[in-house]
Amino acid sequence: MAVDVLEPVSSAAVTAPAPTETVVLPKTSESDTLLRIRHSMSHVMAMAVQKLFPKAQVTIGPWTESGFYYDFDSPDPFTEADLKAIRKEMIKIINRKLPLERVEVSRAEAEAKIKAQNEPYKLEILSGIQEPITLYTLGEEWWDLCAGPHVANTSELNAKAFELESVAGAYWRGDENNAQLQRIYGTAWETPEQLAEHKRRKEEALRRDHRRIGTDLDLFSIEDEAGAGLVFWHPRGARMRLLIEDFWRQAHFEGGYELLYTPHVADISLWKTSGHLDFYSESMFGPMVVDEREYQLKPMNCPFHVLTYASTLRSYRELPIRWAELGTVYRYERPGVMHGLMRVRGFTQDDAHVFCLPEQISDEILRILDLTERILSTFDFKNYEINLSTRPEKSIGDDAVWDLATKGLIEALERKGWDYKVDEGGGAFYGPKIDLKIEDAIGRMWQCSTIQLDFNLPERFKLDYVAADSSKQRPIMIHRAIFGSLERFFGIMTENYAGDFPFWLAPEQIRLLPVTDEVQSYAESLCDQLKAAGVRASVDRSGERLGKLIRTGEKMKIPVLAVIGAKEAEQASASLRSRRDGDLGLVGADALIEAARQANQNRSSGLSL
């Protein structure tokens, strides 16, 4: 299944979140003013760099959704001290109130100017530019090839509303075989208040970083000795993953799906038939030879589901067929793009495929949207953005089938009552698609779910069914993932909760804290009763003082700490401290066990006592 884990273009919100911040931070793509500010600020930064480091050569310097960057080829690495010096120089340039002017030149003029400056990267950029060729000057001292737009004068840039944030490595043209450059990231806003809010959100994102939380709570690790991008699930994280998988399976059975298990490898001929070897080989690991046959690790699950469909003759009466699989796939990700659980080389997709009749498309898409909402809302993701991508210029399939499929997607979205944005021509070559992004607790949007119609694989594998008139027809194939991948969703979910997982999902739900050795046996007995009721409970046997026991439990973000002293043991109870609700007082053992059991059954955030 061709699921891209990168975020799509901005799309329309299903439910507009209530504003929680007094300072609004628009994206660059949403504000022409910010676009001009950030584009201009990147030029100011490049001018400052070349003024301080004359041997540095410039390459590209675009805006991003929250700032800008510029890539430089410099003989010396930039340091944090250099960033401070560059920022000071930028302020000087801004305060000089220099004009930014657009100049149209011929290719020969541009080439002569570039050669005079000895800027080889600009020459390569020039070769890919179609006329008219434009450059922007910054005063009379600096210029670069650029299409704009920019502010008219540096006086329009607020010297108190920008920051240089970091330096990172980057390959020229994003190709690891090319020269390694230095990328300076910056951010720029209209007001100092916006900059302050941006910094606050960055600090909050750092606090929520799933890599740090994963280490602190002992959930997972990536071991260099085994290889980059390969995830090791520790017992606590594995317990959570099992809970997620069990819920996913239950929801799919209730949604009319059957489960599949398919191999991790297949003969290389399968990937030739599917087209992956032609169009996706750069993202596939190399083949292995066994018994004089070449086998390939699977980068996707869909060809396996296709083979399962083709294993027997199908009738129209069987359709729709809904199959789901938690299928682990392997893709070669370049070293520079791997990031915690967000982008790895081995991951498990919550893959599903629906084979249906053309007239069933709308109903099946609606069922998928309903299931998507049910699953995501269980993890407290309730605000979505939807993007509908239509037929691109280069595509396969009959016009009538494309029209029917696209209308089916639109009809399903309208029946669901979800707003969406149409990305004309943004679909895959094999069919239209719906992408869904979720909003986390600090307003970031993440693409997870995708629904893609496919006219390609049924044709490549000659799939068919016997129609009512006894003719053989091609089924419509729908690819679908809700989490996208378990690893990436786990990372997003961890950052959304900041490690404070809801009660039903926490790896350790209740920790019993015996105050003295005399109550240890009662604590052990209560723990056994909780476990028998399906509660993930433990007893702290460290023998530390109560204050230390509580601090340790809070550091591990245990949802409920149960203090047990002589009074609690005598009354068959526990004094509860909840991360969500604070002190809950003295609660009887039977009431605690029942409340915990109900919370698990209802997938609740906390105990109801």
Side-chain angles (χ1 to χ4, degrees):
M1 177 174 179
V3 178
D4 189 350
V5 296
L6 294 177
E7 293 185 14
V9 294
S10 178
S11 49
V14 170
T15 306
T20 56
E21 306 287 353
T22 56
V23 180
V24 177
L25 297 184
K27 298 176 181 177
T28 307
S29 59
E30 299 169 343
S31 169
D32 182 67
T33 299
L34 275 179
L35 187 151
R36 292 174 184 274
I37 287 173
R38 288 167 177 169
H39 210 162
S40 303
M41 197 67 83
S42 72
H43 280 213
V44 170
M45 180 176 74
M47 178 177 173
V49 167
Q50 291 196 304
K51 194 173 184 66
L52 296 174
F53 305 91
K55 292 182 180 180
Q57 295 175 328
V58 298
T59 62
I60 58 171
W63 53 265
T64 67
E65 286 292 13
S66 61
F68 58 92
Y69 69 82
Y70 227 111
D71 288 347
F72 301 92
D73 190 341
S74 177
D76 300 311
F78 297 129
T79 65
E80 289 297 320
D82 292 334
L83 289 190
K84 293 178 181 178
I86 294 167
R87 186 178 185 278
K88 284 184 67 175
E89 187 63 32
M90 289 174 68
I91 293 173
K92 291 180 183 178
I93 294 170
I94 291 170
N95 290 337
R96 289 171 61 189
K97 301 181 180 180
L98 298 177
L100 287 91
E101 296 181 345
R102 179 182 182 274
V103 180
E104 190 170 319
V105 297
S106 68
R107 188 171 300 275
E109 289 175 313
E111 187 172 328
K113 289 176 70 69
I114 292 170
K115 287 181 177 178
Q117 288 189 336
N118 188 30
E119 292 276 15
Y121 294 99
K122 286 187 184 181
L123 274 181
E124 189 173 332
I125 293 170
L126 177 64
S127 67
I129 297 177
Q130 296 181 349
E131 297 189 16
I133 297 169
T134 61
L135 54 86
Y136 273 80
T137 61
L138 191 50
E140 298 179 355
E141 304 170 35
W142 194 87
W143 64 271
D144 197 4
L145 294 168
C146 189
H150 292 273
V151 298
N153 192 286
T154 59
S155 62
E156 298 178 43
L157 305 175
N158 193 324
K160 296 181 179 179
F162 85 95
E163 195 64 72
L164 299 186
E165 298 184 302
S166 63
V167 180
Y171 292 107
W172 171 235
R173 300 291 197 189
D175 188 337
E176 61 191 14
N177 296 313
N178 290 339
Q180 185 163 21
L181 309 174
Q182 295 184 75
R183 176 173 295 177
I184 299 180
Y185 285 99
T187 188
W189 301 88
E190 294 183 65
T191 67
E193 290 76 18
Q194 286 181 326
L195 175 62
E197 175 61 16
H198 169 74
K199 289 182 176 180
R200 186 196 70 79
R201 294 190 189 184
K202 281 196 67 176
E203 290 172 359
E204 180 63 16
L206 187 63
R207 184 181 75 84
R208 293 170 177 266
D209 191 312
H210 74 281
R211 295 168 298 178
R212 180 184 62 78
I213 293 173
T215 298
D216 291 346
L217 302 188
D218 194 22
L219 303 178
F220 64 88
S221 65
I222 295 176
E223 304 295 338
D224 289 338
E225 188 175 353
L230 302 174
V231 181
F232 286 69
W233 293 91
H234 296 198
R236 297 169 69 86
R239 178 68 68 94
M240 294 179 66
R241 174 170 170 158
L242 179 63
L243 291 166
I244 294 170
E245 290 182 356
D246 285 347
F247 164 64
W248 182 91
R249 291 187 183 95
Q250 176 189 338
H252 279 74
F253 282 135
E254 293 172 0
Y257 287 78
E258 295 295 337
L259 299 187
L260 297 182
Y261 291 95
T262 60
H264 287 240
V265 299
D267 189 289
I268 201 165
S269 62
L270 178 67
W271 308 107
K272 292 178 180 177
T273 303
S274 70
H276 287 100
L277 208 60
D278 291 331
F279 302 109
Y280 206 73
S281 59
E282 290 186 359
S283 296
M284 298 169 69
F285 284 98
M288 62 188 81
V289 178
V290 180
D291 297 334
E292 299 182 356
R293 295 179 68 179
E294 280 191 298
Y295 288 84
Q296 182 75 52
L297 278 170
K298 65 176 178 179
M300 297 180 187
N301 300 298
C302 36
F304 294 84
H305 292 201
V306 167
L307 288 186
T308 307
Y309 178 94
S311 64
T312 188
L313 184 65
R314 306 287 177 181
S315 165
Y316 75 96
R317 298 179 185 276
E318 296 178 66
L319 304 183
I321 292 173
R322 308 181 191 98
W323 288 334
E325 177 181 14
L326 292 170
T328 300
V329 299
Y330 302 89
R331 299 180 187 174
Y332 174 69
E333 296 287 0
R334 299 184 181 214
V337 302
M338 286 183 288
H339 176 79
L341 297 180
M342 302 302 194
R343 196 147 192 170
V344 292
R345 288 177 172 169
F347 56 94
T348 301
Q349 287 190 310
D350 64 318
D351 228 344
H353 296 92
V354 177
F355 300 90
C356 66
L357 307 174
E359 59 268 26
Q360 295 171 333
I361 291 175
S362 178
D363 287 343
E364 290 307 306
I365 297 300
L366 181 60
R367 289 177 69 104
I368 292 171
L369 296 177
D370 287 342
L371 182 60
T372 299
E373 183 179 34
R374 176 189 172 186
I375 289 176
L376 294 180
S377 64
T378 300
F379 298 92
D380 297 309
F381 292 111
K382 298 180 180 178
N383 292 330
Y384 315 126
E385 291 183 358
I386 310 297
N387 202 58
L388 170 66
S389 300
T390 61
R391 185 173 191 171
E393 185 176 337
K394 294 182 179 180
S395 58
I396 64 168
D398 296 333
D399 291 343
V401 178
W402 270 89
D403 290 343
L404 185 66
T406 304
K407 288 177 182 177
L409 296 182
I410 292 172
E411 182 181 331
L413 286 169
E414 291 178 348
R415 289 167 67 188
K416 183 65 177 170
W418 282 359
D419 294 330
Y420 61 92
K421 181 178 178 180
V422 177
D423 178 16
E424 295 289 354
F429 77 93
Y430 50 77
K433 63 176 182 173
I434 294 172
D435 288 316
L436 183 146
K437 296 166 74 175
I438 56 178
E439 181 184 38
D440 71 9
I442 56 175
R444 297 173 301 181
M445 305 303 298
W446 304 88
Q447 181 186 329
C448 286
S449 309
T450 186
I451 306 167
Q452 304 173 354
L453 270 66
D454 187 354
F455 315 132
N456 179 46
L457 286 184
E459 184 64 34
R460 279 180 172 269
F461 285 89
K462 307 302 180 187
L463 299 187
D464 55 36
Y465 62 89
V466 179
D469 62 0
S470 297
S471 65
K472 289 191 175 181
Q473 304 292 332
R474 292 269 184 270
I476 298 294
M477 183 178 183
I478 303 173
H479 302 263
R480 188 238 68 192
I482 294 175
F483 294 143
S485 82
L486 283 181
E487 286 76 7
R488 186 168 185 269
F489 182 80
F490 194 96
I492 295 169
M493 178 193 71
T494 298
E495 296 196 3
N496 182 58
Y497 288 126
D500 273 319
F501 300 109
F503 184 85
W504 76 272
L505 189 57
E508 183 180 351
Q509 296 174 303
I510 299 176
R511 181 174 290 184
L512 306 175
L513 310 179
V515 176
T516 64
D517 292 341
E518 287 72 22
V519 299
Q520 187 77 25
S521 60
Y522 167 69
E524 299 285 355
S525 173
L526 178 55
C527 183
D528 289 342
Q529 294 177 65
L530 286 165
K531 288 181 177 179
V535 182
R536 298 179 292 283
S538 68
V539 177
D540 191 318
R541 301 176 177 87
S542 66
E544 298 284 354
R545 296 175 65 86
L546 180 60
K548 178 70 178 296
L549 297 180
I550 291 174
R551 287 193 296 273
T552 301
E554 289 178 341
K555 183 179 179 181
M556 294 301 292
K557 301 182 186 293
I558 311 298
V560 176
L561 299 177
V563 177
I564 296 176
K567 179 177 68 174
E568 287 81 6
E570 182 180 340
Q571 299 180 10
S573 62
S575 294
L576 304 185
R577 296 169 63 96
S578 165
R579 286 187 65 82
R580 188 188 71 160
D581 301 316
D583 287 335
L584 300 179
L586 197 66
V587 176
D590 291 342
L592 171 60
I593 293 167
E594 179 59 21
R597 190 185 66 79
Q598 287 290 337
N600 280 339
Q601 183 175 328
N602 299 329
R603 296 189 176 87
S604 302
S605 294
L607 300 182
S608 295
L609 293 163

